[in-house]
Amino acid sequence: MNAVLIIDKPAGLTSHDVVNRARRILNERSIGHLGTLDPMATGVLPLVIGSLTRLAQFYTASEKTYEGAIRFGFATDTYDAEGEATTATQDVTLQADQVEAVAAHFRGLIEQTPPPFSAKKIKGVPAYKLARKQQEVVLKPVQVEIKALEILSVERDRVRFRARVASGTYMRSVAHEMGRELGCGAHLESLRRTAVAEFTLEDAHTLDEVASHCHPGRSLPFVQGKTDDAANPAVAGLAVACDSDVEALFVHPRKLLPQFPSVTADEPTAARIRSGRTVNLPELSRARQVKVFANQTDLIAIATRVAGTLFHPKIVLCT
């Protein structure tokens, strides 16, 4: 099974939990994801399956879009609603103009300090592991880009927003810093990712929906407090062959990496590419990288131009 599947991640599961569930549902071990979502967050989580896991390298810097809510009045140690309060609660009634004025400081290129509860590493150790042990976490600010930050509504102590950001941006840190600037503390109350690169919520499917294609008439069980499917008796044993119509849930290969032009290779050319050899693609002489298909749906390689009209397969996806 070689595919890209977009999951609408529910709250309460880690991204790794979702991968584990997908492995069991699809009976496929080779599955990865294209960008971590915090357990509290919901929305677009692209999964790459089989040989298409090799496409992950092209999505490391993908732009992401979020919608969410910030609650003002107190800060938390995790910078979101799942953490412990670190400041006294204040009664806050915000005005739209003061929120807009602060939001302006977070648009464009900014220096941002990641949350202490994050996967950023300190001497090889993830920061969240140190934070959980109540050890000191000192993270250096990094440059990130917030390409758009739109304030959707302001209601007393809550602000709803929409943001389009470059990879590596923490919306938890944005919420925390906005609260600091307003002097009242704040944390991220909810977050929903609506897009990653070319993938949107319109492409997304729930785990239940995927399970129903593999196990007709059954929804995906969930035992409260069991996030590891290996230890979840309600999920154990679900790994059986999926119906062929599960393919209808996959992203069409022609829609992947739209920034790369596509070419359909004839059989001799496809054979050379599958064996890792350089090929001549005169119609794409100006492209730096191209997607090579053997037919309408079989993506067999991403090829890089090496000289003139000669392209060498950077990665071969189907042999």
Side-chain angles (χ1 to χ4, degrees):
M1 183 181 292
N2 304 310
V4 175
L5 173 64
I6 312 304
I7 295 297
D8 186 350
K9 190 188 91 63
L13 296 182
T14 68
S15 299
H16 186 63
D17 291 336
V18 173
V19 169
N20 278 342
R21 288 176 180 238
R23 286 170 175 165
R24 290 183 173 274
I25 294 169
L26 299 173
N27 196 24
E28 171 65 55
R29 292 302 304 169
S30 183
I31 299 181
H33 66 75
L34 301 180
T36 301
L37 270 176
D38 290 336
M40 181 192 78
T42 67
V44 174
L45 182 67
L47 303 185
V48 282
I49 304 167
S51 67
L52 296 197
T53 55
R54 302 188 68 192
L55 293 180
Q57 62 188 281
F58 300 105
Y59 289 96
T60 55
S62 294
E63 183 178 283
K64 299 172 178 68
T65 304
Y66 297 96
E67 291 186 3
I70 301 172
R71 183 180 178 185
F72 290 80
F74 66 95
T76 70
D77 54 0
T78 59
Y79 297 3
D80 63 19
E82 295 190 330
E84 299 292 329
T86 57
T87 62
T89 302
Q90 299 183 41
D91 187 21
V92 177
T93 300
L94 299 169
Q95 301 300 318
D97 56 351
Q98 67 180 145
V99 174
E100 282 288 352
V102 171
H105 302 162
F106 295 89
R107 297 184 180 115
L109 292 172
I110 64 170
E111 292 290 313
Q112 182 183 80
T113 302
F117 284 85
S118 68
K120 293 290 186 181
K121 292 186 176 180
I122 301 174
K123 296 182 178 179
V125 179
Y128 68 84
K129 291 188 176 181
L130 299 175
R132 285 174 181 170
K133 295 177 182 178
Q134 296 185 334
Q135 296 182 18
E136 184 181 18
V137 175
V138 179
L139 292 168
K140 296 180 180 180
V142 296
Q143 188 178 77
V144 300
E145 184 177 9
I146 300 179
K147 300 181 179 182
L149 178 58
E150 180 183 1
I151 303 302
L152 302 178
S153 66
V154 178
E155 298 178 8
R156 293 194 70 245
D157 60 352
R158 285 173 170 83
V159 172
R160 292 201 56 80
F161 67 88
R162 180 184 298 118
R164 183 167 53 87
V165 305
S167 180
T169 305
Y170 284 91
M171 294 311 299
R172 284 186 288 147
S173 289
V174 172
H176 182 81
E177 291 300 327
M178 287 183 69
R180 178 178 291 177
E181 288 205 18
L182 285 170
C184 58
H187 62 273
L188 188 65
E189 185 173 55
S190 65
L191 188 69
R192 183 161 178 76
R193 189 156 69 187
T194 59
V196 176
E198 65 265 27
F199 310 118
T200 69
L201 283 172
E202 293 181 358
D203 304 310
H205 308 279
T206 66
L207 287 166
D208 272 349
E209 186 179 357
V210 179
S212 70
H213 282 72
C214 294
H215 316 278
R218 298 179 67 183
S219 62
L220 183 66
F222 178 69
V223 174
Q224 188 66 34
K226 296 282 190 179
T227 58
D228 180 359
D229 287 339
N232 189 340
V235 178
L238 279 185
V240 299
C242 292
D243 295 342
S244 59
D245 65 348
V246 74
E247 295 179 6
L249 305 183
F250 298 156
V251 178
H252 195 287
R254 292 274 177 174
K255 294 182 179 179
L256 303 175
L257 298 169
Q259 68 272 31
F260 296 165
S262 300
V263 61
T264 302
D266 57 27
E267 188 49 43
T269 302
R272 289 182 63 87
I273 287 173
R274 287 189 180 104
S275 62
R277 290 183 289 174
T278 299
V279 295
N280 186 35
L281 301 173
E283 67 272 36
L284 294 168
S285 60
R286 294 185 179 182
R288 190 176 71 86
Q289 290 183 310
V290 300
K291 298 176 291 187
V292 184
F293 288 83
N295 52 42
Q296 275 300 107
T297 59
D298 289 341
L299 177 60
I300 62 172
I302 305 295
T304 300
R305 186 164 63 88
V306 291
T309 61
L310 294 179
F311 286 79
H312 186 79
K314 179 179 176 68
I315 57 170
V316 176
L317 300 167
C318 298
T319 59

